[in-house]
Amino acid sequence: MERMRAWLEDRVGIEGMTSDLMNHLVPRRLNPLDLLGEVTVFLFINQAVTGILLAMFYKASATTAYQSIQNLMHNVPLGWVIRDLHYWGANIMVVVVFVHMLRGFYVGGYKRPREVTWITGVVLLILTILFAFTGYLLPWDQQSYWATVVGTAMATYTPFIGNWLQLLARGGDYVTGTTLTRFYSVHMLVLPALMAAFIGVHIAMVTKKDQTVVEEAKHWSPEERRKKLVPFWPYTITQATIVILIAAAALFMIALNFRAPLLSPADPMNRDLYQPRPAWYFFSIYYILELPTRISFLQPIDKLLDPFLILGLPLVAFGLLFALPWLDRRPTRQPRDRKGFISAGAIVTAGIIIFTYLGATAPLPGQGGPAVAVAHPSYHADIVPILSANCYVCHAGAAPTSGFNFQTYKDIMALKIVDPGHASQSLMIQKLTGQVPPQMPLGGKPLPKATITTIANWINEGAPDN
């Protein structure tokens, strides 16, 4: 064994690599939040192991995916435990990585010379969200299907390349089996490799540059350093093991007591009228997107705000995270000396939490129609609010989901979806009533009779631009 160890050490240098990790100094008294990085590594390992086990039974096609999940849960011994561990592990990992980044922000972990450590951490947060999002579709039930329809539709708001991005994600105009295959490939092949690589770089940079408190210890006396600093092995690794065991026990208890959801099979026609909602980590954007429809003075420019709210806010947020080491260039790391940045971070964090809660509890978008039919409707006063509430999510913007853009009166006339003076012969009415399938709005409840009658009355009066 000694000869084998010497052979490996001579050619690989394992001891040199591990000694940096095991011997680097850390505070004797660690805040448990400082160990969230170790918890993240544990959760990634959990996702890798349970993901491999799930892949042994999963069949990635639109005709077999749902049945393979049912088979796993009901016929494979402990299959439901494996799926629950994977499902809850993914959701908890999003939260843990986010809180880990908040802790790094609070202690000034982005400051020189740890800029690369911080940047790799931001990348890991993005990869974690992509992991959760691509895996969300794989059960191929109504919840995952329609959440993906909503999520991928957000790409269309990207200027110039929005439609191309949606086609790239979906593999076509709609979410189909091709989309499922693409998401599965990215989820199983691309993201794990990227995640493992960036975790490795992140750990290497943490080891190389130590924690922020160790940087400050350079100004301590030798006696203070001996009292307050200890090597990672065996002191910190013991604490980390305890925290990881607690996290593992919590994950296992959650998996045993709360089943991962599995609704009815995905139905692109949505015959059971499932109300689409995005995945929970998009709830804040989902709610912010709905805010202009609830604020009267913003309603006229609601659709103009959509690109900024859906695309602009996340880009600005992550752009600021990447640029943070150069925005806050003062050498001090003490929170009391960074009140402006700490306050801004607290406000943003509180906003994300509040809007996520509001997005989770808010009623689904209303159907924006009159209580009783309007006999002589106005296009701008009566018809536009109905279309805005029910149709524009797919039929508006630079790259509409369906390929049909009728955000303006001119668009409606050009598409010939209304036949002025003849409501019953108009494609719009035939779609809304279900005479021509699929019934619209796709993925939502049929419009109330009073709403459809209002549109029909407008068409029968010649569909004026009034």
Side-chain angles (χ1 to χ4, degrees):
M1 289 297 294
E2 180 61 26
R3 292 180 63 185
M4 177 62 72
R5 185 200 63 78
W7 187 88
L8 287 173
E9 177 61 24
D10 181 53
R11 288 155 180 81
V12 182
I14 293 177
E15 290 184 5
M17 291 188 290
T18 57
S19 64
D20 287 343
L21 175 63
M22 295 302 176
N23 296 326
H24 82 281
L25 298 176
V26 295
R28 183 181 293 274
R29 294 182 179 178
L30 275 177
N31 187 313
L33 292 177
D34 291 328
L35 297 171
L36 288 179
E38 285 81 354
V39 174
T40 300
V41 173
F42 157 71
L43 290 171
F44 175 68
I45 294 172
N46 170 77
Q47 294 306 101
V49 173
T50 56
I52 291 171
L53 294 174
L54 288 172
M56 293 179 181
F57 302 95
Y58 183 72
K59 299 176 181 178
S61 77
T63 56
T64 59
Y66 183 84
Q67 288 76 13
S68 67
I69 294 294
Q70 280 197 319
N71 175 65
L72 176 80
M73 295 178 66
H74 299 295
N75 300 323
V76 177
L78 298 179
W80 62 273
V81 176
I82 297 171
R83 179 170 183 254
D84 288 355
L85 286 172
H86 194 78
Y87 174 84
W88 288 112
N91 286 279
I92 293 172
M93 188 171 173
V94 173
V95 177
V96 170
V97 172
F98 179 72
V99 176
H100 181 49
M101 175 158 283
L102 285 181
R103 176 63 178 173
F105 170 79
Y106 181 77
V107 300
Y110 53 85
K111 289 179 174 287
R112 185 177 184 272
R114 296 175 186 82
E115 296 95 334
V116 176
T117 307
W118 174 261
I119 290 172
T120 56
V122 178
V123 173
L124 286 171
L125 175 61
I126 296 172
L127 290 176
T128 301
I129 294 173
L130 288 175
F131 243 130
F133 180 61
T134 54
Y136 204 81
L137 175 64
L138 302 187
W140 201 247
D141 64 350
Q142 283 286 70
Q143 181 181 36
S144 63
Y145 179 88
W146 289 104
T148 305
V149 170
V150 174
T152 53
M154 292 180 179
T156 62
Y157 289 91
T158 306
F160 307 113
I161 60 171
N163 198 38
W164 179 82
L165 287 176
Q166 181 180 263
L167 286 171
L168 179 66
R170 293 183 174 181
D173 291 329
Y174 304 99
V175 175
T176 63
T178 302
T179 316
L180 178 64
T181 303
R182 291 193 176 193
F183 274 48
Y184 183 66
S185 300
V186 172
H187 189 76
M188 286 294 294
L189 300 175
V190 178
L191 292 178
L194 290 175
M195 194 79 171
F198 275 96
I199 286 177
V201 173
H202 192 72
I203 292 174
M205 295 310 301
V206 170
T207 303
K208 186 75 173 175
K209 297 303 178 182
D210 299 314
Q211 292 184 321
T212 55
V213 70
V214 179
E215 178 74 16
E216 296 168 2
K218 292 178 180 178
H219 307 291
W220 296 351
S221 67
E223 183 64 24
E224 283 183 299
R225 289 174 62 87
R226 281 194 297 270
K227 287 182 178 180
K228 297 181 179 180
L229 299 179
V230 292
F232 184 78
W233 172 269
Y235 298 96
T236 305
I237 203 167
T238 302
Q239 299 175 54
T241 301
I242 294 172
V243 171
I244 288 172
L245 288 175
I246 293 172
L251 173 61
F252 196 71
M253 291 302 296
I254 293 172
L256 288 179
N257 290 281
F258 299 95
R259 292 289 123 82
L262 186 67
L263 305 187
S264 55
D267 177 16
M269 300 296 292
N270 203 22
R271 283 171 286 241
D272 65 358
L273 304 179
Y274 176 78
Q275 294 291 290
R277 257 201 160 113
W280 70 266
Y281 31 85
F282 291 141
F283 276 165
S284 57
I285 297 177
Y286 169 78
Y287 186 80
I288 292 172
L289 182 62
E290 288 296 313
L291 271 181
T293 66
R294 305 168 193 267
I295 303 173
S296 57
F297 70 88
L298 290 178
Q299 289 175 358
I301 59 172
D302 173 24
K303 292 305 162 184
L304 296 177
L305 291 174
D306 281 353
F308 173 72
L309 295 176
I310 293 177
L311 183 68
L313 281 182
L315 284 179
V316 169
F318 281 107
L320 289 174
L321 285 176
F322 280 116
L324 188 58
W326 295 274
L327 295 176
D328 182 11
R329 303 180 68 174
R330 292 180 302 171
T332 179
R333 293 184 175 84
Q334 292 299 325
R336 64 176 176 270
D337 298 326
R338 299 183 292 119
K339 293 179 180 178
F341 282 92
I342 295 297
S343 299
I347 292 171
V348 171
T349 302
I352 292 173
I353 294 172
I354 291 170
F355 284 130
T356 298
Y357 172 77
L358 292 175
T361 58
L364 291 164
Q367 293 192 299
V372 295
V374 178
H376 304 287
S378 158
Y379 171 73
H380 293 282
D382 301 302
I383 305 304
V384 169
I386 295 173
L387 300 180
S388 176
N390 300 282
C391 308
Y392 286 173
V393 67
C394 293
H395 297 284
T401 303
S402 67
F404 289 92
N405 184 340
F406 51 79
Q407 191 170 0
T408 69
Y409 178 83
K410 186 182 293 186
D411 294 331
I412 292 176
M413 293 298 111
L415 289 171
K416 298 181 179 180
I417 56 177
V418 301
D419 184 359
H422 306 91
S424 61
Q425 298 176 24
S426 298
L427 180 61
M428 179 180 286
I429 296 297
Q430 293 171 349
K431 284 285 190 179
L432 293 175
T433 58
Q435 290 175 271
V436 176
Q439 186 170 7
M440 296 293 167
L442 186 65
K445 292 182 179 179
L447 297 188
K449 184 177 180 181
T451 303
I452 297 177
T453 302
T454 297
I455 299 174
N457 290 342
W458 171 69
I459 296 174
N460 282 330
E461 291 189 344
D465 185 11
N466 58 349

